[in-house]
Amino acid sequence: MGTGGRSGPRPGKGVAGAASAPCQYRCIECNREARELYRDYSHGVLKITICKSCQKPVDKYIECDPVIILINAILCKAQAYRHILFNTKINIHGKLCMFCLLCEAYLRWWQLQDSNQNTAPDDLIRYAKEWDFYRMFAIASLEQTAFFIGIFTFLWVERPMTAKKKPNFFLLLKALLLSSYGKLLLIPAVIWEHDYTPLCLKLIKVFVLTSNFQAIRVDSFVLSVA
Ligand SMILES: [Zn+2]
């Protein structure tokens, strides 16, 4: 296989191939390190690299459309997670985290307003509501931080004693933030707040936790040997 046409590998970010380059990629099948995802021959002929360990393509997703990758990530496929985390330089985890926290803070704030029947003057109500939103944002941020610290602590305590190198907690943090993309489902809840039931919100939480677990599972190899 492998041409420069439509069926060839997408020359996206982080996809390069120099034989002398350090092992900056990983095989999405067996998690082994790889120097390149594909080899660029002359005349635009590209060939996907085959993993020396499992004899499968190092990263078959470099040929795929982003929609296909997203669907595979939604299905919690470990290969899709490895492709996104190790073989791309996607850098939206900070913005994604902030956006999700704002949505969560708004939902909490809205639920708080729903339960409050305030008889104070309008200006005071507006002022109090604004601070309520900031308070909800702070609580949501603290909960998120506590959740991540709990995971880091657990993985640090449970790490294999045979591990020679330090765990890569930055990569794990990035994985956790990216795998929390399910919180984007809160956007419809923000828009159509009256049509969202508590059951929907719980299902979103379950989906986010499942994605977080898969991200941790994919990163477990990195935590032990990276
Ligand atoms: Zn492999």
Side-chain angles (χ1 to χ4, degrees):
M1 68 137 302
T3 67
R6 283 177 64 87
S7 62
R10 293 182 299 106
K13 291 182 178 178
V15 180
S20 58
C23 297
Q24 55 179 321
Y25 305 109
R26 288 184 184 276
C27 172
I28 62 170
E29 302 291 344
C30 68
N31 224 347
R32 293 288 173 189
E33 291 184 334
R35 291 184 185 277
E36 57 188 3
L37 300 182
Y38 65 89
R39 182 70 58 88
D40 189 357
Y41 293 98
S42 59
H43 307 297
V45 177
L46 307 176
K47 185 178 181 183
I48 284 188
T49 305
I50 301 298
C51 176
K52 293 176 183 174
S53 177
C54 65
Q55 303 302 316
K56 293 179 180 176
V58 170
D59 191 344
K60 62 185 179 185
Y61 285 115
I62 60 173
E63 287 188 305
C64 295
D65 193 82
V67 176
I68 302 293
I69 299 169
L70 179 63
I71 291 172
N72 280 271
I74 291 173
L75 292 173
C76 287
K77 287 194 173 181
Q79 290 92 338
Y81 275 76
R82 290 193 187 107
H83 166 77
I84 295 169
L85 291 175
F86 304 137
N87 297 339
T88 65
K89 290 182 179 174
I90 189 166
N91 195 27
I92 59 166
H93 46 285
K95 293 174 187 172
L96 183 66
C97 176
M98 185 61 69
F99 193 71
C100 292
L101 283 176
L102 283 172
C103 287
E104 201 166 325
Y106 178 82
L107 271 181
R108 291 174 184 224
W109 175 78
W110 169 69
Q111 289 169 345
L112 189 72
Q113 303 309 311
D114 216 31
S115 60
N116 276 353
Q117 296 297 327
N118 207 327
T119 58
D122 286 350
D123 286 346
L124 283 178
I125 293 175
R126 204 174 297 122
Y127 182 74
K129 281 183 175 179
E130 187 179 340
W131 275 105
D132 278 344
F133 179 79
Y134 296 145
R135 194 161 56 87
M136 291 300 114
F137 182 80
I139 291 173
S141 304
L142 284 174
E143 281 184 9
Q144 182 85 298
T145 307
F147 176 65
F148 288 163
I149 290 176
I151 290 175
F152 291 161
T153 306
F154 176 78
L155 291 174
W156 177 263
V157 171
E158 292 294 318
R159 75 187 190 284
M161 299 306 293
T162 54
K164 295 177 180 177
K165 297 181 181 178
K166 291 181 180 178
N168 191 341
F169 282 118
F170 176 76
L171 191 60
L172 180 63
L173 177 64
K174 181 180 175 182
L176 284 172
L177 291 176
L178 284 176
S179 64
S180 299
Y181 69 95
K183 288 183 180 177
L184 292 178
L185 294 172
L186 291 173
I187 295 174
V190 170
I191 299 172
W192 297 289
E193 52 194 27
H194 296 291
D195 294 336
Y196 253 63
T197 63
L199 178 63
C200 290
L201 299 177
K202 285 177 182 170
L203 286 175
I204 291 174
K205 284 184 180 175
V206 170
F207 177 68
V208 171
L209 286 175
T210 307
S211 300
N212 287 157
F213 176 77
Q214 185 70 322
I216 294 169
R217 199 172 74 86
V218 165
D219 258 359
S220 61
F221 178 84
V222 179
L223 287 170
S224 59
V225 302

